[in-house]
Amino acid sequence: QVQVMESGGGSVQAGGSLRLSCAASGYTYSNNCVAWFRQAPGKKREGVARIYTSSSGPTYYADSVKGRFTISRDNAKNTVSLQMNSLKPEDTAMYYCAAAPPLRPCTFSEVQFPYWGQGTQVTVSS
């Protein structure tokens, strides 16, 4: 049974940093797309960052987080992390990790991701 689990959320002041991790069980990150999404209260869920877990590991970021967030993978730990720096109050949201089966295109289309974590809350105060 495949499970995807997020960790690392919390509360921080504006300008601070947090690191989220996405661990998988029953599933190995290999040549597949892993993405972070977020959903703020009253807003639609949006893609934040994604990575294709091949050797070249191309990444993509939403404009709102480009230059502040970094997505990376750790093959030994079978995790994908999201380093979030220079956090802003508008980054406050529930953050979700999602994983796609191998060799699927890597986009922010939610229908491509059958495996989702339960989410971790990130709160940024001004």
Side-chain angles (χ1 to χ4, degrees):
Q1 182 180 359
V2 176
Q3 285 188 313
V4 175
M5 296 160 288
E6 306 94 343
S7 61
S11 297
V12 65
Q13 289 191 326
S17 299
L18 284 172
R19 185 177 182 88
L20 306 182
S21 289
C22 178
S25 62
Y27 184 78
T28 299
Y29 292 140
S30 177
N31 293 314
N32 69 292
C33 188
V34 180
W36 286 94
F37 292 81
R38 68 185 181 186
Q39 187 168 23
K43 292 190 176 180
K44 186 180 177 182
R45 188 158 58 187
E46 62 175 355
V48 174
R50 64 182 190 250
I51 185 169
Y52 192 77
T53 60
S54 63
S55 56
S56 59
T59 58
Y60 182 85
Y61 300 91
D63 287 343
S64 58
V65 305
K66 202 171 293 182
R68 300 187 298 122
F69 290 11
T70 302
I71 189 170
S72 61
R73 75 188 195 282
D74 185 329
N75 289 343
K77 295 181 180 179
N78 201 35
T79 59
V80 170
S81 296
L82 184 68
Q83 177 67 41
M84 305 185 296
N85 298 329
S86 302
L87 283 162
K88 304 175 180 180
E90 50 263 43
D91 294 318
T92 295
M94 185 71 78
Y95 283 71
Y96 299 90
C97 177
L103 305 179
R104 291 250 185 111
C106 199
T107 71
F108 281 141
S109 175
E110 294 188 21
V111 297
Q112 298 194 36
F113 296 94
Y115 311 122
W116 289 79
Q118 295 202 344
T120 185
Q121 178 68 38
V122 171
T123 303
V124 184
S125 58
S126 57

